[in-house]
Amino acid sequence: MKFCPKCGGAMVPVKRDGKELLRCTKCKYEEEMKKESKKEYVVTETKNKSEKVLTTSLVSDKSGRKREEEELEQEREEYYREIGLDLLRDELEGNEENDED
C-alpha cells in the first residue's frame, strides 16, 4: 500500500476520465498510478452479488411517506364518518320533530 507524500494518509485507487489514479483518503491528493503500484492494488477477493445488500435513505424515506399517507387516509375516514353520523343524527332529529306536528 502506498501512502500520501503530503499527509501520510492511505492512497486508494480510483478511476477518473478513463485514467487510474491514486487518491489520499485524508487530503484527497491525487497522482497517476504507476505500473509498479498496480500490482499492489490487485483485487484478490470478490463478493457474490447475491450477498450484497443495498441500503439507502430513500427506502426508509418511502416507507415513512407511506405511513404518513396511511395515517392521513385514516384521519379522512374518521372525519367523513363523523360527518355522516352528524348528518344522520340531524336527519333523525328532523324526522322526530315532523312526527310531533
Side-chain angles (χ1 to χ4, degrees):
M1 175 176 277
K2 189 169 180 179
F3 295 97
C4 179
K6 290 186 174 186
C7 71
M11 299 289 282
V12 294
V14 294
K15 282 190 177 183
R16 182 180 298 150
D17 300 327
K19 295 180 182 178
E20 293 177 335
L21 304 170
L22 290 174
R23 179 189 288 169
C24 175
T25 56
K26 289 183 180 179
C27 69
K28 308 301 182 207
Y29 168 77
E30 291 181 349
E31 65 180 38
E32 286 194 36
M33 185 184 292
K34 297 177 185 166
K35 288 183 182 179
E36 308 89 49
S37 299
K38 284 185 182 182
K39 293 177 186 175
E40 295 177 28
Y41 291 100
V42 174
V43 176
T44 57
E45 179 184 344
T46 58
K47 295 268 184 183
N48 187 355
K49 286 187 178 182
S50 64
E51 294 175 3
K52 292 182 180 180
V53 177
L54 177 64
T55 57
T56 63
S57 60
L58 188 61
V59 172
S60 61
D61 211 18
K62 282 186 177 180
S63 65
R65 286 188 193 136
K66 184 152 182 104
R67 271 187 272 140
E68 289 175 8
E69 290 173 9
E70 289 174 358
E71 289 173 3
L72 287 173
E73 183 64 30
Q74 285 179 343
E75 289 177 10
R76 271 191 223 109
E77 288 176 5
E78 289 175 17
Y79 174 75
Y80 288 123
R81 190 176 306 121
E82 287 178 21
I83 289 176
L85 289 173
D86 288 343
L87 290 172
L88 185 61
R89 187 178 313 114
D90 290 345
E91 187 176 317
L92 289 174
E93 288 175 359
N95 286 341
E96 289 176 3
E97 289 176 3
N98 289 341
D99 289 345
E100 291 175 2
D101 291 337

